[in-house]
Every structure is written in C-alpha cells, then in structure tokens.
Amino acid sequence: MFSFESFMGRPKLPKECSCGDTSNEACTQIGLRNHRDFPPFAHLPEENDIDMSYYAPDEGGFMYSPIRHWALVGEIVQVNYFIRPRVTIQTQFKEEVLVNFHLDEPKPTFFEWPDLKPGSTLVILYAVNRTFVDLNSGVRQESPRTVMVFPTTLPKLTDEFEKYVAFEKHQMKKCFECGALETEECKIMKCTRCKKAFYCGRGCQVFSWKCAHKNLCTHAQMLANLASLDFSQFNGFANWNFPTLEPQTPEERMAKAEMAQREALYRMGAVIDSMPKRFAGFLSLIKDRYVVSEPLTKNFFAGNTLIATLNQGSLPTSVGETFLFKSFKEYLNRLSQEPDLRHFVVDLKSHASPRERSIVHYVSDLMLSALFFAIPMWQHEGCVGGISWSFESHNPLSSKMEAYKNGAVWETTVGDDCDSLLIKNRISQTCTFMSDDMRVVAEIGEHIARNNPKDMVVRVIRATANETWGDSIHDIATKHDTPKNMFTLWIREDVPMCGRFNPPNPRLSLVEQLLDRSAFSLIDSMLESLGVPEENIIRSTSNNPKGESETGGSGDGHGKHLCSSCGQLKKKQLFSKTQLRKYGKQARCKDCILYS
C-alpha cells in the first residue's frame, strides 16, 4: 500500500536516537532507548494509513493486524482538565505531543486522574498518530487498559527500566545500582517489598531508593512484565495486566481473520450472504452457548421456585439443545429443499406426566422468552447483521432492560402497558420486537420486513390449543401479500386444562394444521391421571377455521366471558389477554387472580 512517508521520507527529529539513525529498522539500544520498540511520535503509524513496518494482512487477506508490539513514552510537561483530561508529553527525542483522553470508561484502569501531573512519565501501548479537527497532530487515547503513568521523570524511568531488561536478558542476579554479580562473598538480595529489584548491600539499596526506586517500587511488577514482553512477536494485544500470551494456531488465526472481516462488514452495515445462509451462520455462532450460565438468560431462571421443583437434568444446557434452536434448524433444512417456504409449523410437546405438565409448560414458556430476549445481544456480539425478529413472548421483559442500556448501540422502546418491547441496534439497523399479542407481532414483523427489504425478518408466533385466537390465526396464515423477506415459524402449544393439538398431519393445509385441535375434557384428564396411554384416549376434535364458539361455550356472544374461578359472567375487558389466549374457557378474571 502506498504511504506518504515512503515517498517523502521520515521527518527530521529534534534529537536522534543514541544508535545514530532513528530511521533504521534496527536499533542497538536496549529498554526505553530502543527507537523500534519505543518509537518517536513522528514514526508512529497514522490513523488513516497502513504502515507495513507495524502491520501485515491477515491470512484471509481482508484485514491488517499488528506484527509487533510498540509503545509511546513521554514525560508529562502540561496537564489540562477542561471538559476532558488532556496532557502534553515530551518524548526522549524532544518532541512535544498532545494526548487527548476519550476513554471508553469513566477512568483509567491502572491509575487515577490525579496521577497525571508534570514530572511523571506516560506510557501508551499501541499509540497511533492522529490528526485532530484543528489540524494538530497527537494521540487520542480511547482504551483505559493500554495507558499507564509512572510517578517519576523519563530519565529516571529509563535508567530503572534498563535494569529489568538486563535481568530478563541474562537471567543473572546482579546489583541494580553498582552491577556487582552474586558470588560466595557477595550475596545479592531482593527488595523485600517488590521482590523484583536486587542489591548487593544496604548502601546500594538506600542510594537506589532515593534516586528512583522509592516511586517505582509499587510498579516493579509492571516494569518486569514489560521487560519480559517480546516486542518482535505479536500474539495479541497486551495491557498493563500483561496476561500470558500463547501463540495462536493456524485455525485460531483464520477464525480471528474471519471475525475481523465479519466485524468490518457489520460496522459498515453491509450484508453479503443470502438470507438462509446468514441465518445458518448465526445459529452456528450461538449453538454452544450455555443457557443457564449466560448472563442474559440466567436471570430468567434465578430464584424461580417452580423450576427448582423440576428435574434440572431435563433442562437444556446449551442453546443447541433448546426447542427453539432445533425448530430453526428444521426450518432451515426445509428451506434448502423448498426455497419459497415462508411458513413452518412445529409442535411444542411435553412427555412429562400429567401432574408435571403444567410446570413443564411454564418452563418451556420461560425458556422461549429468555432466548427471545438474548438473541439481539448474541447477534451483536457475533457481528451478524441483516436479520430482524418479531417474537410472541408471554413473559414481562421491561424489568430486564439493564442489558440494553448502552445508548451508543441500543435504542429501546417499551409499550404503554409494558407488554411489548422494541430493541433497535443502531449499528446494524436491525430490530427485535416482542409482544404477547399475536396480531401485533404479525403486523410489526410485516412492517419491519417492508421497511428493511434486505433484512431477513423472522416471526415466531405461538398458536395455543383453544378457540380464543382462531380468527387471528386464520387471518395471519391466509394473508397473501406479505413481504418475501419474512419467514414465520408457528409453534403449536397444548394448554393444560384447555385443549391440545392433534398429531401433525402433512396432508392438511397451513390453516388446518394450526386449528387442528381437540377440546379439553375432564374425563380425558382423569384417564391420563390413571395412566391410560394418550393414543388409547378417544377425543372429540375441533377443527373450526374461523374459531367460532361451540355449543356450551363460556361466552354469551355479546363480549362477555364466564370466569372459571368465581363462576360469574363478566365483560371480556375484565380478563387479561394472556388468560383468554392461554386458557380459553378456563380463564380467570383479573379480580380472582388479584385476590387468589
């Protein structure tokens, strides 16, 4: 790649390196005096240029990554706290450099703001030369973990650090002050405080303490770690914690390059893969996540007494084992055979005993809501764009919005009655909508699909086995002018004490499958509790495409409903939508729920 520096040459420095040629790629000096490892500001890579002495293309050939470590070092000569912290430093090459702090966090990780004062030395890992709006050049420091302040002058820090470098290079104990080697007559002892500095006697230790070690003793571990870092080999970005860096395998390097490419496209809002392919890629990224331990999902299960009563072994441990993931995979497999398939029906069945069925139904409902809530964050972490969602969720979500508080990434809107939630990703412009009203879920999903024709919009609608929502199911399933980029997953769910779906029948139409249910019977429940196999119980079917009330229904045909708890005929406004949808004839009014 063309570089202006290669054409114009390196700028002349006020002071050259002690090796005699700062422009040379090699340097004979050690420690902070080495101009390759600790370069002058004028030789740093520029923000909008790729300096091949610092970077090289990844194995994928799409992104550039560092090939070595480097750091900018300078003594603070001026400090300004107007609006945000800003300091001026002077390097060993007599350059004066402006450093503006724009940290991702409120304060640095390894020092406090008052530590920024004249006479201290600032060290910045991976510093980059940046041109500001006023056309001045300097460093914009954004990472709170790659910057450190040492409370001593640059010359004293340089001399002290050179002793740590010498020890790491030769691994020989010698006095940090006079350089005496350990012999039988001269025992070299460690500083009892830091355990990193060595002295031949009290005289040398006292002199060193007064010169520089007094201020640097508490930072000795950092200096020792910095001295042991191989600046010529890059195995990942370091910070002032200096974690152990293991060399990457070819597979890890390739995965890193692919992730970098995906992140770059994600930040630009570009989508290359086809809709099914990007959906399959997203599923492969989340299949190994642990449901119970993931921060976004475990809050749905923590402290829940009903889940504690269920055998924990029956709960899925990874996302790949969940019903929703398996349903998505099954839908994708059918899409590969039928590319025009826009509706797919799955059954959420429980094999638990009749006594445990209500608990299992509740846990399944909670699991679906937990996954719905986590999917936008997982999609963002995996840098997957071009997929929007519309979910029917039956659990309140507004109380768990802490995870999406970062306004730079997320824009959230909670419905007036707190039963709907919209999460918009500001970076990828994808949306995730959740509501307990299937009509709203269907309409918002269609709205998102029309306004984002390049996105794949996935709707998850839950058809429960009672007649309350028959009209809505019929209208949604038979609508023909829906966008081609919208894919609907229908989940048929049996509702305890209300009804159940008949076994899948591929010969039925979509509407017939969604309304092919059996009415609930107390006799059926008694037979089940006595251990009679389900296939031996003869049930009456209710395949009513428009969901009209049957003879003996609980409504009077004039907007009223019979409460199964108090036995009174009341207006439907006195029943919650969730009760009517999930329990049908067995729904309870709000008063009975409140005072039960």
Side-chain angles (χ1 to χ4, degrees):
M1 179 173 291
F2 178 80
S3 172
F4 285 104
E5 287 189 354
S6 63
F7 179 74
M8 301 293 295
R10 298 280 192 182
K12 185 174 178 60
L13 298 171
K15 179 185 176 182
E16 290 292 330
C17 177
S18 301
C19 71
D21 186 4
T22 314
S23 62
N24 197 329
E25 287 294 325
C27 184
T28 58
Q29 302 297 301
I30 66 172
L32 300 182
R33 295 184 175 90
N34 187 299
H35 72 259
R36 178 170 172 81
D37 298 340
F38 302 94
F41 172 76
H43 292 189
L44 290 177
E46 295 187 5
E47 181 188 25
N48 298 318
D49 189 17
I50 297 178
D51 191 327
M52 300 306 288
S53 64
Y54 290 92
Y55 299 95
D58 289 331
E59 294 192 17
F62 184 81
M63 298 294 295
Y64 285 78
S65 295
I67 56 175
R68 60 187 178 93
H69 304 281
W70 72 91
L72 176 68
V73 184
E75 183 177 327
I76 299 175
V77 296
Q78 187 178 356
V79 182
N80 191 336
Y81 286 100
F82 180 69
I83 300 178
R84 63 178 72 249
R86 180 174 60 182
V87 300
T88 302
I89 62 173
Q90 186 178 77
T91 67
Q92 61 175 320
F93 309 98
K94 301 304 178 183
E95 307 165 290
E96 289 203 349
V97 182
L98 181 64
V99 179
N100 285 321
F101 286 87
H102 295 258
L103 301 186
D104 301 333
E105 299 176 8
K107 68 184 190 70
T109 305
F110 303 103
F111 66 92
E112 302 295 333
W113 289 123
D115 296 333
L116 291 174
K117 51 189 175 183
S120 296
T121 303
L122 192 71
V123 184
I124 303 175
L125 296 172
Y126 315 111
V128 175
N129 186 331
R130 177 166 182 159
T131 302
F132 300 123
V133 178
D134 59 2
L135 300 183
N136 287 321
S137 295
V139 175
R140 177 188 171 101
Q141 183 59 29
E142 298 178 347
S143 171
R145 293 168 293 278
T146 59
V147 59
M148 184 60 199
V149 175
F150 293 94
T152 189
T153 62
L154 178 55
K156 290 183 178 180
L157 179 65
T158 302
D159 292 340
E160 183 82 358
F161 181 64
E162 193 170 309
K163 301 168 186 176
Y164 291 94
V165 174
F167 174 76
E168 289 293 333
K169 183 177 181 180
H170 302 290
Q171 291 295 311
M172 293 176 61
K173 287 184 180 181
K174 66 178 183 178
C175 180
F176 270 30
E177 189 57 41
C178 67
L181 295 175
E182 185 175 36
T183 62
E184 293 183 0
E185 294 79 16
C186 179
K187 295 296 183 181
I188 302 297
M189 295 173 290
K190 292 181 180 180
C191 171
T192 57
R193 188 178 182 185
C194 68
K195 305 290 192 298
K196 294 297 178 182
F198 299 93
Y199 301 102
C200 63
R202 180 171 177 78
C204 284
Q205 184 178 13
V206 170
F207 186 80
S208 177
W209 180 263
K210 291 180 179 180
C211 288
H213 194 68
K214 177 181 179 179
N215 294 328
L216 297 174
C217 187
T218 56
H219 301 84
Q221 184 63 59
M222 281 188 177
L223 294 175
N225 290 337
L226 183 63
S228 63
L229 182 66
D230 184 359
F231 275 72
S232 64
Q233 299 292 327
F234 186 84
N235 292 319
F237 289 98
N239 58 53
W240 289 99
N241 269 331
F242 289 100
T244 302
L245 301 174
E246 297 292 339
Q248 292 181 323
T249 63
E251 292 77 13
E252 290 174 336
R253 289 197 298 270
M254 180 61 72
K256 180 182 175 183
E258 291 175 354
M259 181 61 189
Q261 178 179 356
R262 190 164 61 246
E263 182 176 2
L265 293 172
Y266 178 75
R267 297 283 176 182
M268 292 187 294
V271 178
I272 298 178
D273 296 332
S274 64
M275 293 181 184
K277 188 174 181 180
R278 79 182 74 144
F279 191 30
F282 172 64
L283 294 181
S284 66
L285 288 175
I286 68 171
K287 68 177 181 180
D288 294 326
R289 287 182 176 267
Y290 287 95
V291 178
V292 179
S293 60
E294 281 285 334
L296 284 173
T297 53
K298 68 179 182 181
N299 292 335
F300 282 81
F301 306 102
N304 195 302
T305 55
L306 275 178
I307 290 184
T309 63
L310 188 66
N311 180 13
Q312 294 297 313
S314 61
L315 291 175
T317 57
S318 67
V319 174
E321 297 175 358
T322 62
F323 166 79
L324 183 65
F325 183 90
K326 294 177 180 178
S327 300
F328 282 151
K329 291 291 288 184
E330 190 176 348
Y331 193 179
L332 275 174
N333 292 336
R334 284 288 301 276
L335 270 176
S336 63
Q337 303 169 11
E338 305 174 46
D340 295 330
L341 184 66
R342 293 298 180 265
H343 292 266
F344 189 70
V345 182
V346 293
D347 279 343
L348 180 59
K349 288 287 186 181
S350 170
H351 301 289
S353 65
R355 293 183 179 180
E356 290 185 336
R357 193 162 293 163
S358 295
I359 298 177
V360 174
H361 178 81
Y362 172 79
V363 173
S364 300
D365 186 52
L366 200 62
M367 179 68 72
L368 284 172
S369 297
L371 293 174
F372 294 161
F373 186 70
I375 277 176
M377 183 64 74
W378 292 345
Q379 188 176 346
H380 174 66
E381 292 174 351
C383 297
V384 178
I387 306 177
S388 292
W389 314 83
S390 187
F391 297 125
E392 182 180 347
S393 174
H394 298 162
N395 283 276
L397 301 168
S398 57
S399 61
K400 302 176 176 64
M401 290 306 300
E402 185 70 15
Y404 294 95
K405 66 179 181 179
N406 186 353
V409 180
W410 307 106
E411 178 184 345
T412 58
T413 305
V414 181
D416 294 336
D417 52 0
C418 296
D419 62 354
S420 62
L421 173 65
L422 177 65
I423 302 174
K424 182 177 179 179
N425 189 315
R426 296 179 185 271
I427 297 175
S428 64
Q429 299 300 309
T430 55
C431 298
T432 301
F433 177 76
M434 287 168 265
S435 174
D436 64 352
D437 190 324
M438 85 164 51
R439 293 190 189 93
V440 178
V441 170
E443 291 172 2
I444 295 297
E446 185 175 340
H447 176 77
I448 295 173
R450 293 190 188 282
N451 285 275
N452 301 275
K454 294 183 179 180
D455 281 4
M456 176 182 187
V457 179
V458 180
R459 295 189 305 188
V460 178
I461 302 178
R462 301 164 67 176
T464 51
N466 61 56
E467 72 279 3
T468 308
W469 289 85
D471 286 344
S472 300
I473 293 173
H474 180 273
D475 294 342
I476 296 170
T478 55
K479 192 170 184 180
H480 298 294
D481 59 343
T482 55
K484 294 297 183 182
N485 61 324
M486 189 170 65
F487 301 76
T488 305
L489 176 70
W490 292 89
I491 300 179
R492 301 199 316 173
E493 300 179 50
D494 294 342
V495 181
M497 306 297 291
C498 287
R500 71 185 67 215
F501 282 100
N502 295 318
N505 186 350
R507 292 178 296 179
L508 298 179
S509 67
L510 173 64
V511 177
E512 290 172 337
Q513 290 182 62
L514 296 173
L515 299 175
D516 185 23
R517 54 181 178 261
S518 300
F520 170 76
S521 170
L522 287 174
I523 297 177
D524 296 346
S525 180
M526 293 174 60
L527 291 173
E528 282 187 349
S529 63
L530 293 173
V532 178
E534 184 176 344
E535 59 270 15
N536 294 339
I537 301 176
I538 302 175
R539 309 180 189 277
S540 60
T541 60
S542 171
N543 191 359
N544 191 346
K546 294 296 288 181
E548 291 88 351
S549 299
E550 300 175 28
T551 304
S554 59
D556 66 347
H558 298 283
K560 294 187 177 182
H561 197 85
L562 185 66
C563 177
S564 64
S565 182
C566 64
Q568 297 182 24
L569 191 63
K570 298 184 176 181
K571 293 182 179 180
K572 284 192 176 182
Q573 289 87 339
L574 298 178
F575 295 79
S576 69
K577 292 182 290 185
T578 302
Q579 279 283 320
L580 291 174
R581 179 180 61 255
K582 293 178 65 175
Y583 302 109
K585 297 177 183 179
Q586 300 298 320
R588 302 165 65 196
C589 66
K590 295 179 181 179
D591 291 338
C592 290
I593 294 174
L594 181 63
Y595 297 107
S596 61

